[in-house]
Amino acid sequence: MRRARLATQAVDVPHLRELARKRLPTALFGALDHGSEDDVAYQHNREVLERIKLVHRVLNDVSPRDPAVTLFGKRHRLPLVVAPTGITSWITFRGELALARAAARAGIPFTLTSTTDTPMETVLEEGGGTQWYHPIMWQDTAASLRGVVRARDAGFDALVLSVDSNVPYNRPHDQRNRVTFPMNIRPSNLLEAVRHPRWTFGTPTRYLLSERRLPAFTNISVPEGLSRADKQKFFVKDDSLTWDFLRRVRDVWPRTVVVKGILHPDDAVKALEYGADGIVVSNQGGGTNDAAPSPVEMLPGVVAAVAGRVPVLVDSGFRRGSDVLKALALGADAVMVGRAPLYGLSAGGETGAHHALSLLGREITRMMGVLGISELSQLGRDHLLLTGDLEHLGSPGVPWKGPAAELRPYADEEPAAVIG
């Protein structure tokens, strides 16, 4: 396929981003490529990563280099996890399935979010590899928890729970472009559809011809019989959630629970108290809080607070293999990547998504050689140069004051079997 062939000719993630920009309608690319409000946090994520420098060491035998990591008892070929992203169904036909297959081929976990079209059971069975599930928590909490139970019964390895995005986003780019999710084709979008025929015929037209409908949220337990207005009301997130909700999730989920969206070290400690098995330091790619610090800035403090009790991951702004190694040197166990594989998916479907992950993998392996290490365990703070207002990142205890409280993780002997 010409589209896939062009994608594989991309030399890096920024190149794939440009191909994605050309293929997708302006509104859809904007939904993928922008953060909240003025994109301050989105841009700051990149600026912080670019300012951190890596110091190479020389004349070490780096002929065999192994970038593998172990997360929650499973070994993966790269220190990467595909982050949950909710517009895959609109980027390309069955995009979430293509992305799962790409991750499986790359030997890394894939995270399926509930705001996708392909049934979770199909993605799990046909996508292969290690798969995690990311539920969105709506005001109808019972319906949300039924989705968690469904994912549990389907057999996902882990549950990723975002805790920093329960308040509606403020995204002026989407508002100006009248982008809503679930998406609808409006008369005002028709000109964009004509201008982007490869996307039009490859995605919405293909859904209409094969299934006589546009993508929907098939993995969300929407009550039957709701009017169109009531359905719109259903898709409102629950801003009343407290830490006790994490306990309710633990009641029904017997496997790994990863809490995503942590920035403050005290919140990381509290997440462990309520049963988290892993932490993702994240500002959702700049999508929720435009005044947020970069997750990389907060990473050492969270790592110090967690003190090795659970894996700590980080996301937001990663475009290069060297970015990933910077995070690992600061204490992360792995990096979640969201936009990078989406650029590849947009440019070339499954092939493009796999190419994006392969590019990152090759850059990671190459940079390991440049730094003089053959295993990621050899990476440390002596490989970092931190100056100016980033100097505190070199001392993980600085952002976090005082020792961690004695933890008493919450865990029932057996999970509840049914949600009523």
Side-chain angles (χ1 to χ4, degrees):
M1 182 188 294
R2 180 174 178 268
R3 175 188 166 201
R5 186 174 66 253
L6 287 174
T8 58
Q9 293 173 0
V11 298
D12 53 20
V13 171
H15 191 172
L16 285 171
R17 176 184 177 276
E18 183 60 23
L19 293 176
R21 185 188 65 78
K22 292 178 179 178
R23 178 179 175 269
L24 297 179
T26 302
L28 186 56
F29 181 74
L32 161 61
D33 203 52
H34 283 290
S36 64
E37 297 183 353
D38 299 313
D39 278 343
V40 174
Y42 171 84
Q43 294 169 10
H44 183 65
N45 291 340
R46 284 299 310 151
E47 291 167 358
V48 170
L49 281 166
E50 289 168 357
R51 288 166 55 203
I52 297 172
K53 304 305 176 185
L54 290 170
V55 181
H56 59 260
R57 308 298 297 273
V58 299
L59 294 181
N60 295 315
D61 182 2
V62 293
S63 53
R65 296 191 292 282
D66 182 9
V69 295
T70 298
L71 292 173
F72 308 112
K74 279 194 175 185
R75 186 173 173 84
H76 305 286
R77 290 204 294 265
L78 293 169
L80 300 174
V81 176
V82 175
T85 48
I87 60 174
T88 50
S89 304
W90 282 92
I91 283 178
T92 196
F93 184 78
R94 293 280 182 249
E96 49 280 351
L97 180 56
L99 200 52
R101 288 170 171 164
R105 288 170 59 191
I108 65 174
F110 163 73
T111 312
L112 175 70
T113 194
S114 58
T115 52
T116 45
D117 182 83
T118 310
M120 65 173 76
E121 296 83 0
T122 301
V123 177
L124 193 62
E125 179 181 356
E126 298 182 14
T130 298
Q131 295 195 37
W132 302 352
Y133 189 70
H134 174 261
I136 304 296
M137 293 302 160
W138 312 104
Q139 287 186 339
D140 188 337
T141 307
S144 300
L145 288 175
R146 283 195 293 272
V148 171
V149 171
R150 179 181 166 190
R152 179 198 70 193
D153 294 344
F156 284 85
D157 281 15
L159 191 78
V160 179
L161 189 65
S162 288
V163 293
D164 65 334
S165 52
N166 294 325
V167 175
Y169 296 162
N170 184 20
R171 295 173 57 97
H173 301 91
D174 291 348
Q175 294 165 18
R176 284 196 293 268
N177 291 320
R178 301 185 68 191
V179 174
T180 59
F181 291 96
M183 291 183 67
N184 293 304
I185 299 295
R186 305 173 185 273
S188 58
N189 301 142
L190 294 179
L191 182 58
E192 279 292 297
V194 171
R195 289 173 173 171
H196 299 85
R198 289 183 295 167
W199 173 82
T200 300
F201 289 103
T203 304
T205 301
R206 190 172 174 186
Y207 278 110
L208 290 170
L209 290 176
S210 64
E211 302 180 15
R212 297 184 180 181
R213 64 175 179 84
L214 293 172
F217 294 165
T218 63
N219 292 308
I220 298 175
S221 301
V222 181
E224 295 183 2
L226 292 183
S227 66
R228 183 181 181 89
D230 287 338
K231 282 185 178 180
Q232 290 296 324
K233 293 178 182 178
F234 176 88
F235 290 111
V236 175
K237 295 180 180 180
D238 188 352
D239 59 4
S240 68
L241 295 182
T242 67
W243 286 105
D244 285 334
F245 182 75
L246 180 54
R247 184 168 291 167
R248 294 179 63 188
V249 170
R250 278 267 57 141
D251 279 342
V252 298
W253 188 269
R255 296 183 286 276
T256 300
V257 172
V258 180
V259 175
K260 185 176 187 290
I262 297 292
L263 286 180
H264 199 287
D266 290 350
D267 285 343
V269 172
K270 199 154 191 175
L272 268 62
E273 292 174 347
Y274 280 81
D277 302 302
I279 300 293
V280 183
V281 186
S282 171
N283 66 15
Q284 306 296 347
T288 56
N289 173 11
D290 201 32
S294 163
V296 170
E297 291 176 287
M298 305 305 294
L299 173 63
V302 172
V303 170
V306 168
R309 287 165 289 191
V310 301
V312 176
L313 290 74
V314 65
D315 71 9
S316 303
F318 291 84
R319 300 290 184 272
R320 290 282 183 185
S322 56
D323 296 336
V324 175
L325 293 179
K326 292 171 185 178
L328 300 185
L330 286 167
D333 293 284
V335 169
M336 273 191 160
V337 286
R339 286 188 176 97
L342 286 188
Y343 294 144
L345 184 71
S346 304
E350 177 186 336
T351 299
H354 181 257
H355 185 58
L357 298 173
S358 297
L359 286 170
L360 290 173
R362 289 200 292 268
E363 289 182 353
I364 289 168
T365 305
R366 175 190 174 276
M367 185 56 71
M368 288 174 64
V370 171
L371 295 179
I373 62 173
S374 56
E375 296 180 357
L376 293 176
S377 60
Q378 299 168 346
L379 188 65
R381 293 179 186 276
D382 58 335
H383 292 101
L384 292 170
L385 176 64
L386 302 162
T387 60
D389 60 353
L390 296 182
E391 286 184 4
H392 70 282
L393 299 185
S395 301
V398 171
W400 174 64
K401 306 298 183 183
E406 185 69 25
L407 294 180
R408 293 179 293 277
Y410 174 85
D412 274 355
E413 293 182 1
E414 294 183 3
V418 178
I419 293 293

